[in-house]
Amino acid sequence: MFKTILIAYDGSDHAENAIKIAAGLARTHNASLHLVHTPQVDTPHIVIGSYVSLLETPPTPQQIEEAGKHISDKATATAKALGVELTQVHLGSGAPAAFVLDTAGKIDADLIVLGRRGLGALGAMALGSLSQAVTHGAKCACMTVL
């Protein structure tokens, strides 16, 4: 039924549940399992007032890449513990939904699996939910997991 499954993973509890389901489906259907992750930089604090004791500096591109690798390594270990080797890890930048959809098209995914809620609850209020954007724009089946 499924030949290529894409798991969108951000390290959240819902993403952990999603990778377990995606790995089970990949094993059952002998499908390839791809992982997509787009590290997101938190917006630095906005300081208003006349006194500032410390300003946070944004992370460097290298720090963002290292954080992305850490998250993808965690997902790779989870899948491996469930008896599934990831076919490929796709690390992106920018808008996560656009990267998930673009990657799904490039690998001709039959199914996208993602957590219903990720780490960015505040961002979702302002910009919209990743799961909502992906399911709206996908050209294949989508499964959202609690």
Side-chain angles (χ1 to χ4, degrees):
M1 181 176 202
F2 299 117
K3 291 186 238 169
T4 306
I5 300 171
L6 179 64
I7 171 74
Y9 186 84
D10 66 1
S12 66
D13 290 343
H14 288 191
E16 278 296 310
N17 294 336
I19 197 165
K20 291 173 185 173
I21 289 172
L25 288 169
R27 198 174 49 252
T28 299
H29 295 281
N30 198 27
S32 64
L33 181 61
H34 292 252
L35 180 127
V36 64
H37 175 63
T38 309
Q40 295 298 294
V41 178
D42 287 337
T43 306
H45 299 290
I46 298 171
V47 180
I48 300 173
S50 60
Y51 179 77
V52 177
S53 61
L54 175 67
L55 290 175
E56 293 182 27
T57 58
T60 65
Q62 181 182 1
Q63 289 171 317
I64 294 168
E65 185 177 334
E66 287 171 7
K69 180 149 178 26
H70 174 74
I71 293 294
S72 65
D73 287 349
K74 179 181 172 186
T76 300
T78 299
K80 191 170 189 169
L82 295 166
V84 177
E85 293 286 333
L86 292 176
T87 302
Q88 189 172 357
V89 173
H90 307 267
L91 289 177
S93 61
F99 188 69
V100 169
L101 293 170
D102 184 54
T103 302
K106 286 179 180 174
I107 66 169
D108 197 24
D110 306 301
L111 175 66
I112 301 170
V113 182
L114 65 165
R116 185 166 165 244
R117 289 278 180 231
L119 297 172
L122 185 60
M125 286 193 305
L127 302 173
S129 160
L130 172 67
S131 59
Q132 182 181 22
V134 169
T135 55
H136 181 73
K139 292 182 173 45
C140 65
C142 293
M143 177 186 290
T144 55
V145 177
L146 292 175

